[in-house]
Amino acid sequence: MEIDPIFQGAGVKAGLEIWCIENLRLVLVPKSSYGKFFSGSAYIILNTVLLKSSSPQHDIHYWLGNDAKEVDSALASDKALELDAALGSQAVQFREIQGLETEKFLSYFKPCIIPIEGVFSSGPGELNCETYQISLFTCKGDHVVHIKEVPFSRSSLNHNDVFILDTASKIFLFSGCNSSIQERAKALEVVQYIKENKHNGKCEVATIEDGKFVGDPDVGEFWGLFGGYAPIPRDIPPSLQKQPDIPNAKLFWIATQGKLCQTVCNMLNKEMLESNKCYMLDCDNEIFVWMGRNTSITERKTSISAAEDFLKSQGRSTRSHLTSLTEGSETAIFRSYFDVWPQLAEPRLYEEGRGKVAAMFKQQGYDVKELPEEDCDSLIDCSGTLKVWRVNDDELFLVPVAEQTKLFSGDCYIVQYKYPGNGRDEYLFYAWLGRGAVMEDRVDAISRMNTIVDSMKGDSVVGQVIEEKEPIEFFLIFQTLIVFKGGLSTRYKRFIAEKGIADETYDEKKTALFRVQGTSPNNMQAIQVDQVSSSLNSSYCFILQTETSIFTWVGNLSSTRDHDLLDRMLDLINPTLQPISVREGSEPDVFWKALGGKAEHPREREIKAYVEDPHLFTCTFTDGDLKVKEIFNFTQDDLTTEDKLILDCNREIYVWCGCHSNVRSKKQALEIGLKFLEIDILVEGLSLETPIYVVTEGHEPTFFTRFFEWDSSKANMHGSSFERRLAILKGTAQKIEVPLRNSWKACSTENTPDSLRSRSVSSNGLRRSASSAFSVSGSNLKSSDNHQISSVSPIARSLFSGSYPDHDSADGSPVPPRPTAVVPSSPSENVGLDQIDGVKIDVNLLIFPYERLKVVADDPVTTGIDVTKREAYLSEEEFQQIFGMTKTAFYKLPKWRQNKLKRSVHLF
């Protein structure tokens, strides 16, 4: 089919693109009008996500105003399908009805969208000089806000909702007595938005509490606008209203003529969906249209029309969301309705053939890298003090400093790490559970860790990790770690004796094989593995220790960095014997004899698949039942003090507990994390052994805050979320900040007990030093304002630009007033480029054009530049054009986000 020319080039860059139906054709909406939605029009919105591991991901939303013509709505639906075809039929399409938008859609336009009466026009606008109209809005939602204008009448008010009354000189916020604190706080963001965009920042704000008078003049003025006070009729609080039962999903096959044929079955599974057919999945408030890969565009249009007709005939057209998706692009919610849905196999990133080619180059002295390695920059200060206890029956055994970097896989340990935080000491605790440890020791380790944490003042970060699933931060605080087979625990010894299992506990006199791994001398490990030939791997280096000799085995795909770590580890495991160096392919017979004979071993590195951007969930946990809801395009403001939230990073998860949440203990928070792993809401195959962190508000470590645009002044505020937002709105935020505890000098040896002093020299002979990531304050450690590079940044908009004249542009046309941020700016916003993130950037660099700087350039710049910072050599104008932001804003982003942006434009 022919694709509308206006879609040419759509979906290439990350972010939003918006079109509107005007005179039965699509017109492009200018970025300055993003977030303005006219109730008489229909729109198409494309959000593009740049993924690390595959092609871009697209979400298509078609928004239908309440007053839009039926022909425009139908055309928007067809054009959305046409856009999907232009993007390769891999997008998910969402129908958005005015007032009933999905939370994902609303998250693009924080804090809210307020539809405007009338119809979109691509022509020049006119200033609105009419008398100011008083408006009354309801605000619903804890993290995204549904705004609806209601009649300006006392009868519109109720006890359950939050209302905004907007007048010419003052904005009133009325909070129903049954509304939540979170809803009231979110409504204040809308008040701020209206104040800045409709009143040019010049109007008063008053907050009115339902049922409270006390002679407040604002209260009298508020009720005076309604003709005087009168009681609001009582209604049922939301918590007491009967919750609908979870619907049974019904699957229908959609025939070519649009006829629905229900599939009779007791259990849904993926095999029921045929690639040459279209289906409708009816989940009551959610309707899905699934389109097989081999169906035509005509069949798909017919299927979507059939689903819309079904909704109308059932009287559900105004309360059910309609989502359309093509085979292969199924969402997690859709897949969750099927009892059987096979997990997608992870792509193999290293193939044996490529490995052999790389090995050939390496043997000739070339350092070949098949794929770029992930950043392993230290995300925590590494100059702190370490304490390690081993669980032994009903006791904790404090491991001597000289031995605390040696763990046994049959034991469980409690690790305490004390390090200087942002003006105070911070504590990080781990319960490390050896893979061979008995259950009693595992339970005891977690229980005793929680007891230690509860006995301390302040809120420590705790983590539960299982051997072979350790997060990078665990290795960084040890710097050097050796994991031996076997165990020292009494329970472990008793268990293997009862089961008749041979004791493999490491002994210097026994044969032992160690795999050496890590990224630097400050992050290296030796892991004892089974002493058999199949344990070898071409991408690693190994140490083989026998009774009389010691071998170092170098894999053909290992790097010079691996060889350096091998030498360092050899000095720690056995510094006395002269090592026999062996290269893969030239092993002597005595080497194979020590391993029980020669056998095949893996020729490729086990590379973890790329982990895309994390997901944030709000959760409720009652009687062991966990219910979660995703927060899209999240920011730090979504960390509401009354909530408990889960940040899912795939490789690890964080349970964040607000100071005013109802989480009673770290133990309960760990239970919430385990329950989350069990339900696997995103159907991403989360392992039950995934590391779990528990983080308390105000004590967030840098390896957590890196996923946010972090403002430390917000993290230090106290009071409810409503009180905090009100203080920010009224400019009194600094008055409710919590004073920082302790001081930096508390970390010096003069003020630290001997038992807690940092080792001046670590066990690998290298002095601990502060990481670069910790050399800046928390306010400078900023990420994007949402968790996806992908997902567009929430738009700050001038919605009511016609209400007040502002400065004129160069061509004489009126310029919309500039939106003002809802939150106070951080001190780091005016920092020069040469001071950003503690890295000195030369502001006098030579300037080169983008076409010569990109990695795939035909005429590349070959000398005089730092290839790791190609973007720094762009002019300010070209940088802004390519990245959509200034250099100053770019260098405030965390390194992982910078690299992701650079990768998307071929500068990495």
Side-chain angles (χ1 to χ4, degrees):
M1 63 173 293
E2 292 185 4
I3 303 297
D4 194 318
I6 202 169
F7 290 141
Q8 185 174 0
V12 175
K13 293 184 178 180
L16 285 181
E17 296 170 80
I18 303 178
W19 300 266
C20 185
I21 306 292
E22 183 182 29
N23 299 324
L24 297 180
R25 66 184 183 89
L26 275 182
V27 295
L28 189 64
V29 175
K31 290 187 181 295
S32 60
S33 295
Y34 281 14
K36 290 183 183 178
F37 290 94
F38 289 87
S39 59
S41 298
Y43 294 78
I44 293 176
I45 299 91
L46 170 65
N47 183 44
T48 300
V49 174
L50 296 182
L51 300 177
K52 301 175 187 176
S53 56
S54 61
S55 56
Q57 175 182 303
H58 305 288
D59 287 322
I60 300 172
H61 305 257
Y62 55 102
W63 186 89
L64 310 177
N66 289 337
D67 302 325
K69 297 178 182 177
E70 189 171 338
V71 63
D72 287 348
S73 299
L75 182 58
S77 176
D78 289 346
K79 287 295 183 181
L81 195 58
E82 189 176 317
L83 175 58
D84 178 34
L87 296 171
S89 297
Q90 286 296 309
V92 180
Q93 302 168 53
F94 303 86
R95 185 186 68 157
E96 308 286 354
I97 303 296
Q98 179 181 337
L100 296 167
E101 296 88 355
T102 62
E103 294 197 357
K104 189 170 193 176
F105 177 79
L106 291 174
S107 71
Y108 303 146
F109 307 101
K110 289 182 178 180
C112 64
I113 62 170
I114 303 178
I116 307 169
E117 290 187 8
V119 179
F120 171 82
S121 173
S122 56
E126 296 180 2
L127 292 178
N128 183 4
C129 299
E130 298 178 2
T131 304
Y132 196 93
Q133 297 292 324
I134 295 180
S135 303
L136 182 65
F137 303 96
T138 60
C139 300
K140 296 184 179 182
D142 293 347
H143 292 278
V144 293
V145 188
H146 289 266
I147 302 296
K148 181 181 179 182
E149 186 169 1
V150 294
F152 173 41
S153 168
R154 184 189 294 107
S155 60
S156 295
L157 302 175
N158 62 57
H159 297 291
N160 293 334
D161 296 326
V162 181
F163 295 82
I164 294 175
L165 179 63
D166 178 25
T167 70
S169 60
K170 185 179 287 188
I171 304 174
F172 296 87
L173 178 74
F174 176 84
S175 302
C177 58
N178 295 327
S179 62
S180 70
I181 293 177
Q182 296 97 311
E183 281 187 310
R184 299 177 190 184
K186 270 297 174 186
L188 281 175
E189 292 185 25
V190 179
V191 169
Q192 174 80 24
Y193 171 69
I194 293 175
K195 176 182 177 181
E196 299 298 339
N197 287 277
K198 195 173 180 180
H199 295 269
N200 208 23
K202 300 174 182 177
C203 75
E204 294 183 46
V205 174
T207 56
I208 311 297
E209 290 192 46
D210 185 6
K212 292 189 178 181
F213 305 100
V214 201
D216 190 327
D218 288 332
V219 173
E221 184 179 354
F222 174 78
W223 288 113
L225 293 169
F226 290 93
Y229 171 76
I232 300 174
R234 288 287 173 187
D235 43 21
I236 303 175
S239 58
L240 300 181
Q241 294 177 352
K242 184 179 179 181
Q243 297 297 323
D245 295 331
I246 298 176
N248 291 322
K250 301 174 184 177
L251 185 65
F252 297 83
W253 166 53
I254 306 176
T256 308
Q257 299 78 16
K259 181 181 178 181
L260 297 177
C261 308
Q262 185 172 354
T263 303
V264 180
C265 61
N266 296 324
M267 184 176 70
L268 297 179
N269 63 75
K270 185 180 183 298
E271 300 303 322
M272 301 171 65
L273 304 176
E274 300 179 28
S275 297
N276 60 345
K277 294 181 180 180
C278 294
Y279 297 84
M280 184 185 80
L281 186 68
D282 179 11
C283 307
D284 192 29
N285 289 332
E286 188 88 38
I287 301 291
F288 295 92
V289 175
W290 185 90
M291 301 169 290
R293 184 172 298 280
N294 298 332
T295 56
S296 66
I297 295 294
T298 302
E299 289 176 298
R300 298 179 186 184
K301 285 185 177 181
T302 301
S303 300
I304 294 174
S305 297
E308 291 176 341
D309 292 340
F310 172 80
L311 290 175
K312 290 178 183 177
S313 66
Q314 295 284 315
R316 288 193 267 155
S317 59
T318 58
R319 66 178 178 86
S320 295
H321 290 128
L322 176 61
T323 304
S324 307
L325 35 82
T326 310
E327 180 180 2
S329 63
E330 297 87 357
T331 62
I333 295 176
F334 177 81
R335 286 180 277 144
S336 68
Y337 286 105
F338 288 76
D339 296 278
V340 179
W341 193 282
Q343 289 285 341
L344 297 177
E346 291 185 355
R348 295 174 64 88
L349 301 184
Y350 274 73
E351 298 174 359
E352 187 173 358
R354 295 174 64 193
K356 290 180 178 178
V357 172
M360 180 179 66
F361 277 98
K362 283 179 178 292
Q363 287 176 343
Q364 297 180 23
Y366 295 98
D367 188 11
V368 180
K369 292 182 180 179
E370 294 188 51
L371 288 175
E373 297 177 357
E374 292 191 58
D375 295 327
C376 291
D377 290 345
S378 180
L379 302 171
I380 187 172
D381 184 270
C382 294
S383 63
T385 58
L386 191 66
K387 263 191 176 184
V388 181
W389 293 271
R390 177 168 51 81
V391 176
N392 189 35
D393 266 347
D394 295 326
E395 298 179 346
L396 286 182
F397 173 76
L398 181 61
V399 180
V401 172
E403 300 294 320
Q404 64 186 10
T405 58
K406 300 174 182 179
L407 307 181
F408 286 83
S409 62
D411 295 334
C412 293
Y413 297 83
I414 296 173
V415 178
Q416 173 193 293
Y417 185 63
K418 175 186 174 184
Y419 64 99
N422 187 12
R424 62 190 176 200
D425 295 335
E426 298 290 357
Y427 287 86
L428 171 60
F429 281 85
Y430 284 105
W432 186 86
L433 313 179
R435 191 159 291 280
V438 298
M439 184 56 66
E440 293 94 328
D441 280 350
R442 293 187 175 206
V443 173
D444 205 17
I446 295 171
S447 175
R448 288 183 173 276
M449 176 185 68
N450 289 326
T451 300
I452 295 173
V453 171
D454 291 342
S455 68
M456 298 180 62
K457 294 181 180 180
D459 287 294
S460 307
V461 177
V462 303
Q464 175 182 316
V465 300
I466 295 178
E467 181 187 358
E468 298 178 8
K469 294 287 185 178
E470 298 91 348
I472 184 64
E473 298 81 32
F474 183 82
F475 292 137
L476 287 172
I477 65 173
F478 275 92
Q479 298 194 4
T480 299
L481 183 64
I482 304 175
V483 180
F484 297 111
K485 295 175 75 69
L488 306 176
S489 162
T490 303
R491 288 172 177 153
Y492 173 79
K493 297 292 188 183
R494 186 186 306 130
F495 173 79
I496 61 173
E498 291 174 353
K499 297 293 183 180
I501 301 173
D503 191 350
E504 294 184 307
T505 303
Y506 173 76
D507 187 329
E508 293 181 359
K509 299 178 181 180
K510 294 181 180 179
T511 300
L513 180 65
F514 296 90
R515 182 182 69 243
V516 178
Q517 61 189 39
T519 59
S520 75
N522 293 327
N523 167 30
M524 61 179 183
Q525 306 91 45
I527 313 297
Q528 187 178 357
V529 296
D530 294 338
Q531 51 262 26
V532 292
S533 302
S534 56
S535 295
L536 300 174
N537 188 304
S538 300
S539 294
Y540 294 95
C541 295
F542 289 78
I543 296 172
L544 176 61
Q545 174 183 289
T546 68
E547 292 184 14
T548 58
S549 57
I550 190 164
F551 296 87
T552 58
W553 185 87
V554 179
N556 285 334
L557 294 181
S558 61
S559 65
T560 53
R561 181 197 63 193
D562 296 326
H563 306 162
D564 177 58
L565 299 184
L566 176 66
D567 293 337
R568 292 173 182 270
M569 270 299 179
L570 190 62
D571 291 338
L572 296 176
I573 292 177
N574 195 324
T576 58
L577 292 176
Q578 179 66 29
I580 302 171
S581 182
V582 175
R583 194 162 190 96
E584 182 179 4
S586 59
E587 300 87 348
D589 292 338
V590 65
F591 177 85
W592 294 123
K593 184 178 179 180
L595 293 178
K598 187 175 182 179
E600 281 298 312
H601 60 265
R603 308 284 178 175
E604 56 192 36
R605 185 187 293 267
E606 297 175 2
I607 296 295
K608 295 180 181 179
Y610 273 123
V611 176
E612 299 302 337
D613 297 330
H615 300 264
L616 185 67
F617 297 86
T618 181
C619 62
T620 56
F621 189 62
T622 309
D623 298 328
D625 182 31
L626 180 67
K627 297 185 183 299
V628 300
K629 183 174 70 172
E630 184 167 6
I631 301 172
F632 299 97
N633 294 309
F634 63 81
T635 68
Q636 183 185 355
D637 290 334
D638 288 306
L639 301 178
T640 312
T641 187
E642 294 82 14
D643 286 339
K644 45 188 175 292
L645 302 164
I646 296 175
L647 184 68
D648 176 11
C649 303
N650 190 267
R651 291 180 185 170
E652 65 265 343
I653 68 170
Y654 298 83
V655 181
W656 182 89
C657 304
C659 291
H660 294 80
S661 67
N662 59 358
V663 177
R664 297 185 299 273
S665 64
K666 295 287 195 296
K667 179 182 178 182
Q668 185 188 37
L670 286 172
E671 290 174 0
I672 292 173
L674 284 170
K675 197 68 178 180
F676 180 83
L677 295 178
E678 287 178 13
I679 61 177
D680 194 10
I681 188 68
L682 294 179
V683 198
E684 56 186 334
L686 282 177
S687 168
L688 293 178
E689 298 180 349
T690 301
I692 302 172
Y693 283 105
V694 177
V695 176
T696 307
E697 180 184 8
H699 294 264
E700 296 88 351
T702 52
F703 53 87
F704 173 84
T705 60
R706 65 190 169 119
F707 297 110
F708 300 83
E709 183 178 0
W710 197 257
D711 185 342
S712 59
S713 65
K714 293 180 183 178
N716 291 326
M717 296 177 71
H718 66 82
S720 70
S721 55
F722 178 78
E723 292 168 337
R724 298 180 189 190
R725 177 53 58 185
L726 186 61
I728 292 174
L729 180 62
K730 293 189 174 183
T732 59
Q734 68 276 9
K735 295 181 181 180
I736 61 170
E737 289 185 12
V738 178
L740 296 178
R741 296 179 294 104
N742 301 341
S743 63
W744 281 93
K745 62 183 179 182
C747 305
S748 67
T749 55
E750 289 78 13
N751 293 282
T752 307
D754 291 352
S755 59
L756 292 179
R757 287 181 184 171
S758 173
R759 294 166 292 163
S760 59
V761 180
S762 62
S763 57
N764 61 3
L766 297 176
R767 184 176 298 273
R768 283 182 177 266
S769 59
S771 67
S772 59
F774 196 78
S775 62
V776 293
S777 65
S779 62
N780 287 336
L781 291 173
K782 291 195 175 183
S783 172
S784 64
D785 50 3
N786 55 75
H787 74 292
Q788 296 183 351
I789 205 169
S790 57
S791 308
V792 61
S793 301
I795 307 261
R797 306 171 310 286
S798 292
L799 188 57
F800 307 96
S801 58
S803 300
Y804 294 93
D806 200 12
H807 302 292
D808 291 337
S809 62
D811 59 1
S813 60
V815 177
R818 180 173 297 175
T820 303
V822 174
V823 298
S825 59
S826 66
S828 64
E829 287 186 3
N830 297 320
V831 176
L833 185 60
D834 56 345
Q835 300 176 39
I836 290 171
D837 203 24
V839 178
K840 188 172 183 180
I841 305 294
D842 186 357
V843 294
N844 297 316
L845 289 173
L846 295 174
I847 300 300
F848 295 97
Y850 168 69
E851 292 301 324
R852 293 194 62 197
L853 287 170
K854 61 183 182 180
V855 253
V856 291
D858 295 330
D859 179 25
V861 181
T862 56
T863 58
I865 67 168
D866 181 352
V867 294
T868 65
K869 290 186 171 60
R870 294 173 181 270
E871 76 288 347
Y873 299 90
L874 292 169
S875 66
E876 287 288 351
E877 295 76 14
E878 198 165 18
F879 192 99
Q880 178 81 38
Q881 180 182 358
I882 292 170
F883 288 97
M885 66 182 76
T886 63
K887 287 184 179 181
T888 303
F890 177 83
Y891 286 109
K892 288 179 185 177
L893 302 176
K895 191 172 181 181
W896 69 271
R897 176 112 189 237
Q898 293 178 25
N899 289 344
K900 192 170 183 182
L901 279 170
K902 291 195 289 185
R903 190 180 291 114
S904 69
V905 294
H906 307 293
L907 288 173
F908 182 80

